[in-house]
Amino acid sequence: MDDYEETRPLLVNDEQTEEDRAEQDSYLDKVKNGKLYIATFAAVLGPLSFGFVLGYSSPAIPELGIIQDPRLQLSKDEASWFGSVVTLGAALGGLLGGWIVEKIGRKLSLMFCALPFICGFTIIIAAQNHWMLYVGRVLTGLASGVTSLVVPLYISETAHERVRGTMGSCVQLMVVIGIMGAYIAGLFLDWRWLAIASSIPPTLMLVFMCFMPETPRFLLSQGKRREAEEALRFFRGPDAPAEWECAKIEEAYKNEEQSFSLADLKDPGVFKPLGIGIMMMLLQQLTGINAIMFYAETIFEQAHFKNSDVATVIVAATQVVFTAIAAAIMDKAGRKILLILSGVTMCVSEAVFGVYFKLTVNHNNSSLTSVLTDAQGSLAEQPPTDLAWLAVGSMGLFIAGFALGWGPTPWLVMSEIFPTRVRGLGSALCVLTNWTCAFIVTKTFQNLMDAITSAGTFWMFSALCALNVIFTAIFVPETKGKTLEEIQAHFKGTYQR
């Protein structure tokens, strides 16, 4: 490949003329985004609900551990399952979501997933024994899995390329806002009232989505052109010629196979985005985000933050701030540069984390209790050089780096890269990979530290973050400013680099 070929913009068609791009820009200049923003807000109430599910266990578990009622009191092992069983429900929800999103559409799937959210929290509110608590958590996890698949699809299929990055990043933004909301509410509410508060966002989503249209691409895939044009007029405003965009989408859809078969796995337009999507979800969980969040409260205690509940709110607020920054600059900086910057930041911060544990922990016994006790004891012996601040700094840097790139971007890219006929299946496999890996990492973290020590564990995560950077640089395409049809054409080879 010569220098000219290497420097040509990604996804540029040899046959695409300047007039085509000018026509596209002229169309987008007439677009009004007001109703698109309203529809996006209605949809991201799902991720907000999902955030409340994830955040709920942190303030609830301490209360349930000391509650007087023996039928509800959770042991340490039971509390672990109460927190982690959500990931199993979410993995199942990813598979279910991939099926229902193709059968009943994006809008109805969103309305459907509000029901297990509400039912799950209702069962927790009325819980009389451990099993009711577990069932409630599984149901809310199921809803979270469906939500994490459907909402990115709904947004990517309704937003145009100028704002799709920002709108898509709002998914992760609302998740971390939900987590922070659960932490803050947990400072003032007991576990039952917190469950009542957590059921409000999905209820609002169910109501608001009643007034939002289905996505134009799904309607066209069902042969409903008139309804697709009406949906486009809703999302683009009265001044933009919706018929023009509808014709463009319809033309791309007609050139595509209408149904999926196993033979399609040989098609580069299918297996390339599928491989990239699954690997991004796998690598997201292998950054060690769950391990860092697990340590957050203890690290703040070591740094002499007496109120660890407030410290968890500070951690969540850091996620919110940097995820908001990512959303604001996603369509300007691009997906790829943010992923690389994020990966480098996490790689460095976790390497420092490993150094912290190497300096403070007696590795002859690396069980979790010993790690935390030894670290605290070591720090107590040397207050002038309190190395806990090294841990606080590296933790803050890691959380900021994750929120800036590898938090929101894999979900955004997942919603952009699949062709219409495999969008449900591909997204389902990505969600299943993410949540299954999240469960495995969470459940095996203690064993990993016993095997290779705490310092070794974080150095391993640092090396995996370096792998993230290499994978992004080589395989992940830049999708900034491209229509979904252009992105799909890139993988099929219609657009050449």
Side-chain angles (χ1 to χ4, degrees):
M1 184 178 290
D2 58 29
D3 291 340
Y4 170 71
E5 287 292 320
E6 290 181 335
T7 56
R8 287 170 63 191
L10 183 63
L11 308 179
V12 175
N13 191 325
D14 288 337
E15 298 178 358
Q16 186 182 32
T17 65
E18 291 296 329
E19 288 78 9
D20 293 330
R21 178 52 62 188
E23 188 178 16
Q24 178 79 0
D25 289 340
S26 176
Y27 170 76
L28 293 176
D29 288 340
K30 299 174 184 175
V31 167
K32 305 295 184 185
N33 292 322
K35 290 185 178 179
L36 172 64
Y37 295 154
I38 294 172
T40 299
F41 173 76
V44 297
L45 288 171
L48 181 66
S49 309
F50 169 23
F52 269 94
V53 171
L54 293 180
Y56 178 81
S57 59
S58 182
I61 284 176
E63 286 188 60
L64 291 170
I66 60 173
I67 196 170
Q68 295 301 311
D69 189 342
R71 298 173 302 168
L72 292 171
Q73 189 177 71
L74 297 179
S75 67
K76 192 173 182 180
D77 187 57
E78 289 165 343
S80 172
W81 278 105
F82 181 78
S84 61
V85 76
V86 165
T87 58
L88 296 179
L92 179 62
L95 288 178
L96 177 63
W99 180 74
I100 67 170
V101 80
E102 298 295 351
K103 293 297 181 182
I104 65 175
R106 286 55 164 151
K107 172 185 173 177
L108 290 180
S109 296
L110 270 177
M111 296 174 69
F112 163 80
C113 75
L115 301 179
F117 270 129
I118 297 168
C119 290
F121 279 121
T122 301
I123 291 172
I124 291 173
I125 293 165
Q128 299 299 313
N129 53 54
H130 293 162
W131 286 106
M132 290 184 73
L133 293 174
Y134 293 151
V135 169
R137 290 291 280 172
V138 169
L139 281 175
T140 55
L142 180 77
S144 298
V146 177
T147 298
S148 62
L149 183 148
V150 179
V151 175
L153 289 189
Y154 184 84
I155 293 173
S156 72
E157 292 188 357
T158 55
H160 55 84
E161 58 266 33
R162 286 187 180 176
V163 298
R164 193 178 62 241
T166 297
M167 297 295 98
S169 298
C170 287
V171 173
Q172 181 70 9
L173 176 61
M174 293 301 278
V175 171
V176 295
I177 288 175
I179 292 172
M180 184 175 70
Y183 289 170
I184 293 174
L187 297 176
F188 307 102
L189 302 175
D190 70 14
W191 62 278
R192 288 192 196 271
W193 278 103
L194 182 58
I196 292 172
S198 299
S199 66
I200 295 174
T203 304
L204 293 176
M205 180 182 70
L206 179 62
V207 174
F208 289 174
M209 285 305 299
C210 291
F211 303 98
M212 301 300 123
E214 179 58 85
T215 73
R217 285 174 174 81
F218 179 78
L219 291 171
L220 284 173
S221 73
Q222 302 299 303
K224 300 178 180 179
R225 182 186 171 91
R226 184 177 61 81
E227 291 90 336
E229 286 189 8
E230 290 175 356
L232 277 171
R233 288 192 188 95
F234 178 91
F235 292 120
R236 303 292 182 258
D239 300 330
E243 303 82 4
W244 180 85
E245 184 177 359
C246 191
K248 288 283 187 181
I249 298 171
E250 194 171 37
E251 180 183 357
Y253 184 75
K254 286 179 179 177
N255 292 332
E256 187 182 308
E257 293 291 335
Q258 301 303 300
S259 60
F260 173 75
S261 65
L262 289 177
D264 288 332
L265 291 176
K266 299 177 182 178
D267 179 0
V270 174
F271 73 75
K272 285 183 179 179
L274 188 61
I276 289 171
I278 289 175
M279 280 301 297
M280 288 186 74
M281 291 301 178
L282 182 66
L283 290 171
Q284 184 197 53
Q285 288 302 320
L286 293 179
T287 60
I289 180 64
N290 287 313
I292 295 289
M293 297 307 290
F294 184 87
Y295 267 106
E297 184 173 321
T298 302
I299 290 168
F300 272 105
E301 288 174 355
Q302 292 172 14
H304 312 305
F305 285 87
K306 301 301 182 185
N307 193 335
S308 59
D309 291 338
V310 175
T312 58
V313 174
I314 294 173
V315 171
T318 302
Q319 284 188 299
V320 170
V321 169
F322 282 92
T323 304
I325 292 172
I329 66 176
M330 187 69 70
D331 283 312
K332 296 181 177 66
R335 286 64 158 157
K336 196 163 184 171
I337 188 66
L338 289 180
L339 283 172
I340 292 173
L341 177 62
S342 172
V344 170
T345 302
M346 291 188 295
C347 179
V348 171
S349 61
E350 290 194 291
V352 174
F353 232 135
V355 171
Y356 161 75
F357 281 114
K358 184 70 174 177
L359 294 175
T360 59
V361 178
N362 176 9
H363 292 292
N364 292 328
N365 184 348
S366 63
S367 70
L368 183 58
T369 303
S370 299
V371 165
L372 300 181
T373 303
D374 290 347
Q376 289 170 330
S378 176
L379 292 171
E381 294 168 5
Q382 42 181 312
T385 56
D386 191 345
L387 290 179
W389 285 103
L390 181 65
V392 169
S394 58
M395 181 185 69
L397 187 64
F398 175 87
I399 291 171
F402 181 82
L404 199 60
W406 276 94
T409 311
W411 299 104
L412 171 61
V413 172
M414 176 197 78
S415 70
E416 295 177 320
I417 59 178
F418 292 115
T420 304
R421 71 184 187 279
V422 296
R423 197 163 283 158
L425 174 64
S427 299
L429 291 175
C430 287
V431 172
L432 177 64
T433 300
N434 187 282
W435 285 109
T436 302
C437 188
F439 177 77
I440 293 172
V441 169
T442 302
K443 275 299 179 184
T444 62
F445 179 58
Q446 175 63 69
N447 295 332
L448 194 61
M449 289 208 309
D450 289 339
I452 63 175
T453 76
S454 52
T457 299
F458 282 96
W459 284 335
M460 182 196 74
F461 285 139
S462 177
L464 289 169
C465 288
L467 180 62
N468 286 6
V469 175
I470 296 170
F471 176 81
T472 301
I474 296 175
F475 296 107
V476 178
E478 180 55 75
T479 58
K480 177 185 72 171
K482 311 300 175 187
T483 66
L484 298 184
E485 289 69 35
E486 287 173 336
I487 296 167
Q488 292 152 28
H490 160 69
F491 287 113
K492 291 167 65 176
T494 304
Y495 285 68
Q496 299 177 356
R497 183 168 180 169

